[in-house]
Amino acid sequence: MLRTEEFTLNMGPQHPATHGVLRLILHLDGETIVKVEPVVGYLHRGIEKLAEARTYTQVIPYTDRLDYLAAMLNNLGYVQAVEKLMGIEIPERAEYIRIIVSEMSRIASHCIAVGTYALDLGGFTGFMYPFREREKLMDMFEMISGSRMTHSYMRIGGVAADLPEEFYPAIKKFLKEFPSCVDEYDGLITGNEIFQARTKGVGVLSQEKAVQYSISGPTLRGSGVNYDLRKARPYGIYDRFDFEVPVGEKGDCFDRYYCRIQEMRQSHRIIEQALEQLEELPGGPVMAKVPKVLKPPKGEVYHEIEGAKGILGYYVVSDGTTKPYRVHIRRPSFINLDLLDEMCRGWKIADVVAILGSIDIVLGEVDC
Amino acid sequence: MESNKVAEQLQEYFQSIGNNRKVLTVSPDELIPLMYRLRDEYEFNYLTDETAVDYGDYFEVIYNLSRVPQGDILMVKTKVDKEKAEVPSVFEVWPGAIWFEREIFDLLGIKFTNHPDLRRILLDDSFEGHPLRKDFQWVGGREV
């Protein structure tokens, strides 16, 4: 008697294509996905709990360790939330520096996203090229903050230090080269026939589903929803720059990937404008006058920024002491992962890697 | 402010509705009908964040709703008893709440009634207690 049954396969927690310690329990019917159960928490460090025993400033280094591929953006969300709570105005110069470094961070994160995505789908050359540019960005971050990945550069009230002299020629050289580098990614990855065959029409996420499930970032915009907080609810000084929000049409893996490529070009535009306007500013302080011991007034604040992976929100509750009463972090990767199951159903086992890669998760952020 | 307007307009339908420092407050019994109304009539179609805070003798569950793509935001809060920590789940209104609520259940131990899949998410299944509760005893680390 011939008998068939559902087959269960464990993917991860140690697996190169899960981008970290993510475990996926795949329920298979032959090669077809019946159900995917993501199991998260292998990297849970309890950052929200740890924050309750630290002062407001001491929380900043923990935020670096959430989305460690775009640490500046994580710093930015937290410090802006505390500034909103305390009503601190920061110097103009610091605002510009923040924009420049956070857009650099976004490019660095998207470099990883498109690079590893090419690798996931078997294109090793496509993996190396974005890493070349990421390396240049890391060098510049090292000039600015002394650290390549976990910068902790931002402070409540501004940034730790002004940009060093040697940064300006480096970023100008980078800005000059970068558009042709993105053209190279387009040639190597976007235009690749195998890459297109693996991604076009795969893992389609409809506009309605994406909004219902609180999906954000390039994953949401790939489905054709024009929702970017830098435009929809500008924070900092984003309203001073001219840039576009790239959106996809079909909501497949290719659209999500291509949104990131286009976003890199837009970030490049923002950095160019910000650098130009920064150089016209007279020199001055990069820190507002804030007390050494921070005691925000009693109350709470929720602040959201557009992170590299999606909407990054910080909910900070103050009880009037030097330590936050509660810090909650809305991590985009965590929420975006929720819909993986539905996006994978009906596709073949090899497509799971393609779909997961197109969501672009980072486990430091998922597990918090 | 949006919350003022909503609170005023909906006063006759929801007895417990209130507006406190730009935040809409409501009791857990009236939460679901209010949320449906906010989604359908006021077009808050996106649940951008859901979390909870332990205030010692009670919990507060906080919902941040957005309009996509306009970008408006509204905060709604509900107070939950510590002894009987139960809130109706909003997953029927916004299915995205499923993981938000699993996380709250895991870390704060608030039960969401009607939730389709209320299991621990970040911590191990055998873990005892809920670490983000203020009375949680932990070994190591610094004193709060």
Side-chain angles (χ1 to χ4, degrees):
Chain A
M1 259 275 283
L2 203 63
R3 196 167 59 88
T4 63
E5 64 178 32
E6 211 174 82
F7 181 65
T8 311
L9 184 73
N10 249 316
M11 183 175 163
Q14 302 294 341
H15 189 287
T18 57
H19 297 209
V21 277
L22 170 70
R23 175 174 164 221
L24 298 171
I25 304 171
L26 308 175
H27 298 266
L28 302 166
D29 173 10
E31 244 194 302
T32 312
I33 303 287
V34 180
K35 194 177 161 205
V36 179
E37 272 181 72
V39 181
V40 302
Y42 290 94
L43 202 60
H44 180 62
R45 295 145 294 178
I47 285 178
E48 292 180 0
K49 182 75 183 173
L50 290 168
E52 290 174 9
R54 304 289 185 278
T55 65
Y56 283 90
T57 312
Q58 284 173 340
V59 179
I60 297 173
Y62 285 95
T63 63
D64 285 317
R65 277 121 185 116
L66 290 165
D67 180 358
Y68 42 78
L69 301 176
M72 287 289 188
L73 286 159
N74 289 265
N75 284 174
L76 181 71
Y78 174 71
V79 296
Q80 280 192 338
V82 180
E83 281 159 11
K84 204 164 153 188
L85 186 63
M86 297 182 71
I88 297 173
E89 287 271 328
I90 74 160
E92 188 97 344
R93 203 173 168 76
E95 289 274 23
Y96 278 106
I97 296 174
R98 280 185 181 182
I99 299 279
I100 293 171
V101 294
S102 48
E103 290 307 315
M104 280 165 66
S105 226
R106 191 182 313 275
I107 294 180
S109 166
H110 284 354
C111 277
I112 294 256
V114 301
T116 52
Y117 197 36
L119 181 67
D120 285 347
L121 301 179
F124 197 81
T125 320
F127 169 65
M128 297 313 283
Y129 276 67
F131 265 68
R132 181 188 59 189
E133 271 67 58
R134 186 175 154 84
E135 191 56 35
K136 290 175 193 160
L137 286 165
M138 302 279 244
D139 286 345
M140 281 186 265
F141 282 136
E142 199 179 355
M143 285 178 201
I144 299 170
S145 66
S147 163
R148 285 162 56 84
M149 275 179 90
T150 45
H151 321 295
S152 300
Y153 175 58
M154 302 211 186
R155 295 288 182 275
I156 295 158
V159 293
D162 207 338
L163 295 172
E165 277 306 309
E166 66 265 32
F167 171 76
Y168 293 96
I171 185 82
K172 276 179 191 153
K173 185 160 174 279
F174 176 81
L175 287 174
K176 213 171 138 198
E177 292 167 354
F178 190 63
S180 60
C181 298
V182 185
D183 292 342
E184 270 180 349
Y185 312 156
D186 268 342
L188 272 169
I189 313 170
T190 320
N192 187 310
E193 210 169 304
I194 302 169
F195 178 81
Q196 292 200 2
R198 291 284 309 271
T199 54
K200 278 196 169 167
V202 175
V204 178
L205 175 62
S206 75
Q207 204 164 331
E208 296 75 37
K209 264 261 144 76
V211 172
Q212 277 175 2
Y213 276 86
S214 305
I215 305 297
S216 56
T219 315
L220 174 70
R221 289 190 288 274
S223 297
V225 184
N226 187 342
Y227 188 55
D228 186 320
L229 287 177
R230 290 174 294 171
K231 279 271 191 226
R233 208 181 324 126
Y235 51 91
I237 52 166
Y238 270 108
D239 45 359
R240 294 187 201 170
F241 306 110
D242 180 31
F243 65 99
E244 278 148 34
V245 180
V247 288
E249 279 168 23
K250 295 190 208 78
D252 55 8
C253 289
F254 183 81
D255 279 2
R256 289 191 280 277
Y257 154 82
Y258 199 54
C259 267
R260 291 192 184 96
I261 288 277
Q262 288 170 298
E263 265 182 32
M264 287 203 267
R265 293 187 195 274
Q266 298 302 328
S267 292
H268 172 263
R269 271 176 78 186
I270 298 173
I271 300 174
E272 254 179 353
Q273 294 168 45
L275 199 67
E276 208 174 285
Q277 293 176 25
L278 175 71
E279 283 186 312
E280 281 167 18
L281 279 183
V286 288
M287 272 293 282
K289 284 206 167 59
V290 287
K292 281 268 183 293
V293 180
L294 290 173
K295 274 191 185 174
K298 244 181 166 173
E300 72 267 311
V301 72
Y302 181 65
H303 182 68
E304 281 183 340
I305 68 161
E306 187 69 36
K309 272 89 185 166
I311 296 174
L312 178 69
Y314 283 87
Y315 183 69
V316 183
V317 182
S318 163
D319 57 353
T321 61
T322 56
K323 292 169 186 170
Y325 187 76
R326 168 101 164 90
V327 177
H328 164 76
I329 306 151
R330 184 245 197 254
R331 293 103 57 203
S333 300
F334 177 72
I335 300 307
N336 288 355
L337 195 58
D338 185 5
L339 212 53
L340 183 70
D341 177 25
E342 262 183 69
M343 282 157 82
C344 287
R345 280 184 197 191
W347 291 96
K348 297 279 185 261
I349 188 164
D351 296 319
V352 173
V353 174
I355 296 168
L356 181 68
S358 76
I359 308 176
D360 183 25
I361 55 160
V362 53
L363 270 299
E365 192 175 69
V366 171
D367 294 341
C368 188
Chain B
M1 205 46 216
E2 185 85 38
S3 59
N4 267 326
K5 206 175 80 196
V6 177
E8 224 169 81
Q9 285 173 357
L10 294 181
Q11 224 146 35
E12 51 179 313
Y13 302 102
F14 302 99
Q15 279 161 6
S16 65
I17 205 164
N19 177 31
N20 179 19
R21 286 182 300 177
K22 298 176 190 167
V23 178
L24 213 61
T25 53
V26 71
S27 75
D29 328 326
E30 291 187 319
L31 182 74
I32 297 299
L34 174 74
M35 289 305 198
Y36 268 117
R37 224 170 160 118
L38 285 175
R39 188 192 69 180
D40 299 335
E41 269 176 45
Y42 292 86
E43 291 172 347
F44 284 100
N45 53 353
Y46 190 84
L47 177 73
T48 179
D49 187 37
E50 181 176 346
T51 184
V53 182
D54 179 2
Y55 281 108
D57 36 349
Y58 64 94
F59 291 114
E60 218 170 52
V61 183
I62 298 112
Y63 305 83
N64 281 291
L65 319 175
S66 275
R67 282 197 187 106
V68 170
Q70 297 88 330
D72 310 304
I73 191 160
L74 177 75
M75 197 189 277
V76 182
K77 277 184 181 178
T78 185
K79 230 182 203 185
V80 186
D81 225 24
K82 189 130 200 189
E83 300 305 313
K84 195 170 166 283
E86 276 185 13
V87 197
S89 166
V90 295
F91 92 95
E92 280 175 358
V93 194
W94 299 282
I98 294 177
W99 274 33
F100 282 123
E101 287 174 352
R102 273 183 72 184
E103 193 191 1
I104 298 171
F105 168 73
D106 190 0
L107 301 178
L108 279 136
I110 297 175
K111 238 180 116 182
F112 290 90
T113 48
N114 307 331
H115 191 286
D117 184 24
L118 202 61
R119 289 176 292 133
R120 284 191 182 273
I121 187 161
L122 293 174
L123 301 173
D124 194 76
D125 288 334
S126 60
F127 192 88
E128 277 174 32
H130 303 284
L132 282 181
R133 285 191 177 200
K134 290 286 174 185
D135 54 7
F136 178 76
Q137 296 291 322
W138 60 330
V139 186
R142 301 182 195 180
E143 289 296 315
V144 181

